[in-house]
């Protein structure tokens, strides 16, 4: 039996960040990764808000482009332009960044074992069984489930997690056509509450994708139709196709049980509106590492419950607001969406969104829209009251 202080299941960016923190505290840590190569295949749009530099390491070599704003498109192409003078987000090399974070964890003292798929575990004893030619048993004082949307660790004490599919193409235009300072986001009731995105990597290359409650064939049909009917993508070459899953945020999900805790996608720590999870996941990795460190030092596993308390205290209200925003978008028709964009444009919302908008904390903007009574003009009173009641 292989004994460790902490067994981390999954060596993705959140799991490896946690492993680095806990290894830096002098604890014995192992990361069990089911893939043969970290970060492959790409399963992310690779757009991170500027807060990333405050909560984790991001070397410049993994930044492909800096983004200052966005063009928001309604179904009939009413456009809102929002942005700021300084970069609001970074387009990153996700595969390279994932590998970098794992290397940082290994340099801190964590052990990495690739091609190690978990077959079973016991959250009471801390034993993890891995099938890799011959069965191996790893025992940890703490098990950390950072193994993605279909988490094997989560399945031990939660119902099966729900997720939606995402698809993305890497396009090459062969010439300079893209405004590299801005992303493009398209909404449509056919894919609500999901949306389409165009994220420029350079003036000639971009990632174009979407997520929605559809299967992979359905997502590809929407993507191909979008590319074929948008003059911007005429003569585009599809260099690569990607697909992945985004967990559905679940406020009732239990993230601590006996000796096990969940992190990142395994804990459905994602923004309900966009499906993004790295910023939240990185914050939770630090939070969890602090709690696990105390539990190990004091030899009191019950301290792990403080992690769930701290997580909810930090994110519960923000995520509740985003759930309501998601539900509203899901209820709107294309005609509703066009009307909403018109009223937003008439109400000088572009300036308001530019000033208060944030990729990762959307409740601040919603509060300002309520304060300025702009929300009342674009949404039915019943829906406005539902959002407003969140702060009462």
């Amino acid at each position: 039996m292989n004994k460790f202080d902490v067994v981390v299941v999954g060596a993705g960016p959140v799991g490896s960040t946690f492993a680095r923190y806990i290894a830096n505290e002098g604890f014995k840590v192992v990361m069990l990764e089911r893939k043969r190569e970290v970060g492959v295949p790409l399963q992310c749009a690779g757009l991170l808000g500027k807060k990333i530099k405050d909560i984790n390491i991001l070397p410049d070599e993994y930044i492909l482009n800096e983004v200052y704003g966005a063009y928001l498109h309604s179904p009939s192409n009413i456009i809102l332009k929002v942005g700021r003078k300084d970069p609001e987000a970074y387009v990153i090399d996700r595969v390279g960044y994932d590998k970098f974070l794992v290397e940082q964890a290994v340099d801190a003292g964590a052990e990495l074992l690739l091609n190690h798929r978990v077959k079973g575990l016991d959250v009471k004893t801390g034993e993890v069984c891995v099938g890799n030619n011959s069965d191996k048993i790893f025992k940890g004082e703490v098990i950390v489930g950072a193994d993605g949307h279909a988490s094997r660790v989560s399945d031990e004490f939660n119902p099966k997690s729900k997720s939606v599919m995402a698809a993305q193409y890497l396009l090459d235009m062969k010439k300079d056509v893209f405004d590299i300072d801005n992303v493009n986001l398209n909404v449509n009731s056919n894919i609500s509450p999901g949306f389409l995105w165009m994220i420029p990597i350079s003036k000639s290359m971009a990632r174009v994708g979407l997520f929605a409650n559809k299967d992979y064939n359905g997502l590809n049909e929407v993507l191909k139709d979008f590319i074929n009917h948008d003059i911007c993508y005429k003569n585009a070459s599809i260099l690569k196709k990607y697909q992945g899953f985004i967990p559905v945020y679940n406020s009732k999900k239990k993230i601590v049980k006996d000796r096990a805790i969940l992190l990142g996608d395994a804990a459905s720590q994602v923004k309900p509106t966009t499906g993004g999870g790295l910023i939240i996941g990185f914050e939770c990795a630090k939070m969890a590492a602090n709690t696990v460190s105390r539990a190990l030092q004091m030899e009191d596993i019950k301290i792990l419950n403080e992690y769930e308390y701290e997580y909810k205290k930090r994110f519960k209200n923000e995520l509740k607001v985003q759930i309501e925003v998601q539900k509203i978008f899901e209820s709107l028709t294309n005609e509703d969406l066009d009307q909403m964009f018109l009223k937003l444009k008439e109400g000088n919302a572009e300036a308001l969104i530019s000033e208060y908008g944030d990729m990762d904390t959307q409740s601040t903007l919603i509060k300002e829209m309520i304060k300025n009574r702009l929300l009342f003009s674009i949404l039915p009173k019943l829906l406005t009251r539902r959002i407003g009641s969140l702060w009462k």
Side-chain angles (χ1 to χ4, degrees):
M1 185 179 292
N2 303 278
K3 292 185 178 181
F4 292 85
D5 293 311
V6 184
V7 176
V8 182
V9 182
V14 176
S16 59
T17 295
F18 169 87
R20 182 180 86 236
Y21 288 141
I22 208 73
N24 276 331
E25 293 295 316
F27 295 107
K28 190 178 180 183
V29 189
V30 65
M31 296 178 286
L32 305 178
E33 172 55 53
R34 64 180 177 83
K35 296 179 180 178
R36 295 177 182 273
E37 183 179 354
V38 169
V40 178
L42 174 69
Q43 293 181 309
C44 175
L47 183 70
L48 295 182
K50 62 183 180 181
K51 289 181 182 177
I52 178 63
K53 289 200 170 184
D54 295 325
I55 64 172
N56 210 343
I57 310 166
L58 177 59
D60 289 343
E61 64 188 280
Y62 299 107
I63 298 175
L64 303 177
N65 185 28
E66 294 180 337
V67 172
Y68 293 77
Y71 294 101
L72 312 177
H73 302 255
S74 80
S76 65
N77 211 32
I78 300 164
I79 301 173
L80 300 175
K81 171 65 176 72
V82 299
R84 291 178 180 154
K85 293 181 180 179
D86 297 318
E88 284 297 300
Y90 303 104
V91 183
I92 67 167
D93 169 8
R94 258 301 298 271
V95 173
Y97 187 46
D98 284 12
K99 292 179 186 296
F100 165 78
L101 290 175
V102 165
E103 289 168 2
Q104 291 294 299
V106 171
D107 289 345
E111 185 175 345
L112 171 66
L113 297 176
L114 297 172
N115 198 26
H116 276 57
R117 183 183 292 273
V118 171
K119 291 175 61 178
L121 63 141
D122 189 327
V123 298
K124 291 187 181 293
T125 65
E127 293 182 356
V128 179
C129 176
V130 173
N132 180 32
N133 298 324
S134 61
D135 288 348
K136 296 180 183 178
I137 302 293
F138 295 83
K139 188 177 188 309
E141 294 300 315
V142 177
I143 300 171
V144 177
D147 47 340
H149 75 281
S151 169
R152 181 66 183 80
V153 182
S154 175
D155 287 349
E156 287 297 305
F157 53 97
N158 283 296
K160 283 285 185 182
S161 300
K162 294 182 179 179
S163 59
V164 295
M165 284 206 73
Q168 181 170 255
Y169 295 165
L170 176 62
L171 299 185
D172 186 358
M173 302 302 300
K174 306 294 186 188
K175 59 182 179 179
D176 294 348
V177 295
F178 295 126
D179 171 3
I180 61 171
D181 291 339
N182 295 281
V183 300
N184 284 260
L185 304 175
N186 295 65
V187 297
N188 192 293
S189 63
N190 186 39
I191 56 173
S192 287
F195 56 89
L196 279 150
W197 61 79
M198 186 286 286
I199 300 172
I201 296 175
S202 66
K203 290 185 177 181
S204 62
M205 296 180 67
R207 296 170 183 154
V208 178
L210 80 158
F211 75 92
N213 192 19
K214 295 178 179 289
D215 62 19
Y216 185 60
N217 289 334
L219 293 180
N220 270 284
E221 286 179 14
V222 175
L223 260 185
K224 288 177 181 177
D225 184 66
F226 176 69
I227 292 170
N228 290 337
H229 288 84
D230 193 316
I231 195 168
C232 293
Y233 306 111
K234 188 177 180 182
N235 300 320
S237 297
I238 301 174
L239 300 184
K240 292 183 180 179
K241 294 183 179 182
Y242 307 98
Q243 68 182 83
F245 291 88
I246 298 173
V248 174
Y249 171 68
N250 179 3
S251 61
K252 296 180 180 179
K253 188 161 196 170
K254 205 169 168 48
I255 63 171
V256 178
K257 176 70 173 177
D258 297 319
R259 294 183 178 275
I261 70 170
L262 302 178
L263 267 179
D265 283 4
S268 78
Q269 290 167 338
V270 296
K271 293 176 287 184
T273 49
T274 68
L278 277 191
I279 298 294
I280 295 178
F282 288 149
E283 283 197 56
C284 289
K286 182 67 171 178
M287 197 184 298
N290 290 337
T291 306
V292 170
S293 179
R294 289 201 312 275
L296 292 172
Q297 288 170 356
M298 300 180 71
E299 297 182 351
D300 183 359
I301 216 67
K302 291 181 180 179
I303 290 175
L304 294 179
N305 290 301
E306 294 178 11
Y307 161 58
E308 186 157 3
Y309 171 79
E310 290 296 327
Y311 163 63
K312 289 181 178 179
K313 180 181 177 182
R314 169 71 179 86
F315 292 107
K316 185 177 179 180
N317 287 340
E318 173 64 31
L319 295 173
K320 277 176 66 177
V321 171
Q322 292 195 26
I323 287 172
E324 292 303 323
V325 172
Q326 180 196 46
K327 288 178 180 177
I328 287 171
F329 265 90
E330 201 165 13
S331 70
L332 300 177
T333 65
N334 278 344
E335 186 177 295
D336 293 332
L337 289 167
D338 281 328
Q339 189 65 21
M340 183 179 75
F341 269 63
L342 275 174
K343 289 183 177 180
L344 284 170
K345 207 165 184 67
E346 292 168 357
N348 197 31
E350 288 164 308
L352 193 69
I353 297 170
S354 294
E355 183 174 358
Y356 295 101
D358 187 292
M359 279 182 62
D360 301 297
T361 307
Q362 294 154 22
S363 58
T364 304
L365 174 61
I366 299 297
K367 284 182 183 179
E368 287 300 319
M369 293 179 77
I370 291 174
K371 188 188 299 183
N372 289 290
R373 302 195 66 79
L374 182 58
L375 205 64
F376 292 90
S377 70
I378 63 173
L379 291 175
K381 289 183 179 179
L382 179 63
L383 298 180
T384 307
R385 281 200 299 270
R386 194 166 78 186
I387 284 188
S389 67
L390 292 171
W391 286 280
K392 292 180 180 177

